[in-house]
Amino acid sequence: MADYQTFNMLQRHKAQLRDSVQLSSGIKLAAWFNSGDRVTNLSDHHTLSLYTADGYETWHKTQHGWRNGGGPDRFCLMPSGVESVWDIRADLSFVHLYCTDEHLRHLGEQIWDRSPSQLNLHEKIFAADNRITQLYRHFLLSTDWQQPANQLMLSCASTLLMTHLLQRYSDVHWQAPQVRGGLAPAVLRRVMAYIDAQLDQPLTLAQLAAEAALSEYHFARMFRSSVGEAPHQYVMRRRMDAALQLLKFSRLPLTEIALRCGFHSSSHFSNRFRQLHGVTPSAWRHDQA
């Protein structure tokens, strides 16, 4: 797995690591808190940072002196090889996504079937982008990173974020091709059967794409075109459908049901169930009885 210099650098400073996860693709997410710290960042990878709370007294050194402009939902894009100096004078909570040039080039090849001859991300400091905020807050910050069942959602959201960076904040200005039709019926049936057979496992986007013999990017777009929802949404729905059947027609304990349906703890299962149905699994089972 990749070793990210910015992540290691922050651990040597006052920054407190609140959560982190390395995805199967090698991309890493990290949630941090920092205050009263001076940080210099220069790395061989790209870092996309979103301020999730505070940050009003975070200052960035420019050639014209120090300037600030931080706050919740402001983002900073720090490309590989570009030095940035920060003075964090008060509380700041933020989330980082770390990826390499190799990750972005591979994604570009999946989208456009050609590799960018030159790929340069643009440095952005204290910027605003509703798409970045939406993807971070709706998919990444509302999800328990330590639950294997959430790897699929995290991978999908990370791919969407990097696609957005390529299309809006890089020298690559190719238009993404339009989806023309979805998966072939036989392929879709095979993927759906694979999902149902593997519900107790932490499914990944790479596994599902391999089953369809497609790149992750094209699979996700074609699956949505066929089914009307993203792969991670469909998988979660199938997990819940299976759980409902077991709750209604079996006497298995909740922990066993959670494990059979891909939730690696009963608390994770209960939380997701309550979000969808408004009651706990035990209360739902009691009402059915």
Side-chain angles (χ1 to χ4, degrees):
M1 288 296 184
D3 186 29
Y4 292 102
Q5 294 175 350
T6 300
F7 181 88
N8 295 334
M9 176 273 296
L10 286 173
Q11 288 193 305
R12 296 193 297 270
H13 282 259
K14 295 181 180 179
Q16 302 171 23
L17 181 64
R18 296 289 172 81
D19 201 0
S20 69
V21 61
Q22 189 124 17
L23 304 180
S24 57
S25 60
I27 296 161
K28 189 164 190 166
L29 301 170
W32 298 94
F33 171 84
N34 205 354
S35 186
D37 202 1
R38 179 74 68 91
V39 174
T40 299
N41 184 47
L42 177 63
S43 65
D44 60 359
H45 60 81
H46 310 298
T47 302
L48 175 63
S49 174
L50 181 78
Y51 291 9
T52 55
D54 303 312
Y56 302 105
E57 289 298 318
T58 298
W59 295 74
H60 175 248
K61 189 175 183 180
T62 73
Q63 58 182 347
H64 305 295
W66 293 92
R67 66 174 287 262
N68 77 337
D73 295 334
R74 294 290 174 171
F75 82 91
C76 300
L77 178 56
M78 294 163 277
S80 168
V82 176
E83 183 178 80
S84 55
V85 181
W86 305 87
D87 189 1
I88 304 167
R89 303 176 187 177
D91 291 356
L92 168 64
S93 297
F94 56 103
V95 178
H96 277 174
L97 181 149
Y98 307 118
C99 67
T100 65
D101 252 357
E102 183 180 358
H103 288 128
L104 291 178
R105 287 182 180 279
H106 180 62
L107 182 59
E109 290 173 357
Q110 290 185 356
I111 298 172
W112 296 289
D113 293 324
R114 52 178 169 162
S115 179
S117 57
Q118 186 176 12
L119 176 58
N120 295 307
L121 287 182
H122 305 152
E123 183 182 31
K124 293 290 179 180
I125 304 297
F126 304 137
D129 187 313
N130 290 334
R131 180 61 169 163
I132 290 175
T133 298
Q134 177 193 43
L135 288 169
Y136 261 117
R137 289 199 176 275
H138 185 68
F139 292 107
L140 301 184
L141 300 183
S142 63
T143 302
D144 183 350
W145 293 357
Q146 302 311 313
Q147 288 294 340
N150 291 333
Q151 274 270 332
L152 186 57
M153 179 188 292
L154 296 173
S155 295
C156 289
S158 298
T159 297
L160 290 173
L161 271 171
M162 293 196 304
T163 302
H164 186 70
L165 295 184
L166 276 175
Q167 293 180 308
R168 185 156 185 184
Y169 301 110
S170 80
D171 293 334
V172 178
H173 296 299
W174 302 330
Q175 185 174 359
Q178 296 296 314
V179 175
R180 300 188 183 279
L183 298 171
V187 174
L188 182 60
R189 288 195 298 271
R190 187 168 71 244
V191 170
M192 288 179 164
Y194 179 83
I195 290 171
D196 285 344
Q198 302 289 327
L199 279 182
D200 62 333
Q201 299 299 314
L203 290 164
T204 67
L205 190 59
Q207 288 174 306
L208 301 184
E211 193 67 21
L214 291 167
S215 71
E216 294 177 32
Y217 177 82
H218 285 301
F219 169 76
R221 289 165 65 89
M222 294 172 72
F223 186 93
R224 179 186 281 275
S225 178
S226 294
V227 180
E229 56 189 348
H232 71 269
Q233 294 171 322
Y234 175 81
V235 169
M236 184 55 66
R237 182 161 61 83
R238 294 301 297 157
R239 292 189 196 281
M240 283 299 172
D241 288 346
L244 284 172
Q245 292 299 307
L246 291 173
L247 283 170
K248 189 172 184 178
F249 297 111
S250 80
R251 300 182 64 83
L252 290 172
L254 293 184
T255 299
E256 179 65 22
I257 292 175
L259 293 175
R260 288 194 182 193
C261 298
F263 301 96
H264 286 251
S265 72
S266 57
S267 60
H268 181 222
F269 169 50
S270 295
N271 289 337
R272 293 307 300 262
F273 192 95
R274 187 167 56 247
Q275 288 173 5
L276 286 174
H277 300 286
V279 295
T280 63
S282 58
W284 189 91
R285 173 182 260 177
H286 181 268
D287 289 343
Q288 295 298 309

